[in-house]
């Protein structure tokens, strides 16, 4: 049985990614940090659909918690086939109002977590004969977003991290790719007004904002393709191109 662990896997895009792997027959572990109520609700929703994902709580920006999470994971499962580094936060502020604490927190959750989790599983995947790591970035990491400098920079770092790690691990049959969502219908975009959302939709060639399931299917596809590595797959209906 193949296994997948999704960080930030109990809400929004992470939850849709989890469903995509569950539908493909994977044993899925959902990482979450602070919202236990939402995590349990997501698990119960999957249970109703006939799936039995496991919950593992950890702040994936904390080195010790990451180590303990994977220690628990590997005590349950012998190997990890797919790691999805999806956990992320945003910070909407002009640069003058962005504190060092804001910057460090965004980078810790969005970029440092991908480093910590990938480092923790690299040897396990190498010794198992292969594996797949998928990082979730953002279109803003490709083109930049006004009033989201920290977020955009952190997602740009995830993209560069993906390209470098892919070259490093490819000889060991461990593939590393990145999915870069555009404007997706999640709580992270709930701060946008109706007018702002309409303006964004007008800039999307596909004529609509994306669904979490659009991203989930893209992650599953790129995770399973045996000859794709180092790629940045944009899922944004042509936005930003």
């Amino acid at each position: 049985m193949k296994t997948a662990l999704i960080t930030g896997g109990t809400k929004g895009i992470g939850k849709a990614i989890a469903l995509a792997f569950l539908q493909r027959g994977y044993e899925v572990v959902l990482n979450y940090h602070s919202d236990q109520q939402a995590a349990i609700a997501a698990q119960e929703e999957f249970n109703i659909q006939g799936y039995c994902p496991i919950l593992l709580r950890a702040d994936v920006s904390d080195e010790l918690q990451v180590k303990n999470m994977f220690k628990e994971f590997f005590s349950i499962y012998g190997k990890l086939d797919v790691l999805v580094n999806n956990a992320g936060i945003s910070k909407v502020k002009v640069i003058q109002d962005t504190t060092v604490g804001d910057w460090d927190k965004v980078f810790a959750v969005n970029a440092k977590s991908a480093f910590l989790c990938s480092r923790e599983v690299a040897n396990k995947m190498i010794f198992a004969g292969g594996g797949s790591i998928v990082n979730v970035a953002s279109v803003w990491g490709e083109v930049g977003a006004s009033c989201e400098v920290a977020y955009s920079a952190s997602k740009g770092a995830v993209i560069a991290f993906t390209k470098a790690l892919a070259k490093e691990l490819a000889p060991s049959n461990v593939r590393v790719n990145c999915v870069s969502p555009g404007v997706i219908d999640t709580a992270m975009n709930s701060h946008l007004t109706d007018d702002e959302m309409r303006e964004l939709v007008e800039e999307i060639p596909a004529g609509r904002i994306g669904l979490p399931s659009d991203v989930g299917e893209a992650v599953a596809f790129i995770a399973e393709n045996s000859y794709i590595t180092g790629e940045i797959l944009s899922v944004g209906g042509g936005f930003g191109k």
Side-chain angles (χ1 to χ4, degrees), residues 171-225:
S172 301
N173 196 35
V174 177
R175 294 171 296 102
V176 186
N177 290 290
C178 183
V179 169
S180 181
V183 184
I184 307 297
D185 186 14
T186 67
M188 190 174 284
N189 290 317
S190 61
H191 66 280
L192 297 171
T193 66
D194 290 343
D195 287 341
E196 289 171 333
M197 188 61 75
R198 278 192 292 270
E199 289 175 6
L200 275 174
V201 171
E202 288 175 1
E203 296 180 39
I204 301 172
R208 67 172 178 89
I209 63 172
L211 301 174
S213 58
D214 294 322
V215 183
E217 290 298 317
V219 170
F221 159 74
I222 207 166
E224 293 191 319
N225 190 292

Side-chain angles (χ1 to χ4, degrees), residues 4 9 25 30 33 36 51 71 87 92 96 112 164 185 189 230-232 240:
L30 310 175
H33 176 208
Q36 186 175 25
Y51 304 118
K71 182 178 179 180
V92 181
Q96 299 95 321
K112 181 183 176 184
D185 186 14
N189 290 317
E231 291 298 324
I232 313 302

Side-chain angles (χ1 to χ4, degrees), residues 91 93 138-153:
K91 189 67 68 174
K93 287 185 177 182
S138 168
V139 65
W140 303 130
E142 299 180 74
V143 303
S146 175
C147 299
E148 291 190 72
V149 170
Y151 180 77
S152 299

Side-chain angles (χ1 to χ4, degrees), residues 26-97:
Y26 282 70
E27 294 287 337
V28 173
V29 173
L30 310 175
N31 156 260
Y32 72 101
H33 176 208
S34 57
D35 195 342
Q36 186 175 25
Q37 184 175 354
I40 293 173
Q43 185 183 46
E44 290 176 346
E45 183 178 331
F46 285 133
N47 291 162
I48 292 171
Q49 297 176 65
Y51 304 118
C52 299
I54 292 174
L55 298 176
L56 286 182
R57 185 172 189 166
D59 175 356
V60 288
S61 69
D62 181 274
E63 182 178 15
L64 181 58
Q65 292 188 46
V66 168
K67 286 182 178 293
N68 288 336
M69 178 178 71
F70 282 105
K71 182 178 179 180
E72 186 172 355
F73 175 90
F74 286 112
S75 73
I76 301 169
Y77 300 107
K79 68 184 181 74
L80 175 62
D81 294 288
V82 179
L83 166 66
V84 182
N85 289 310
N86 166 73
I89 59 171
S90 64
K91 189 67 68 174
V92 181
K93 287 185 177 182
V94 296
I95 194 168
Q96 299 95 321
D97 294 337

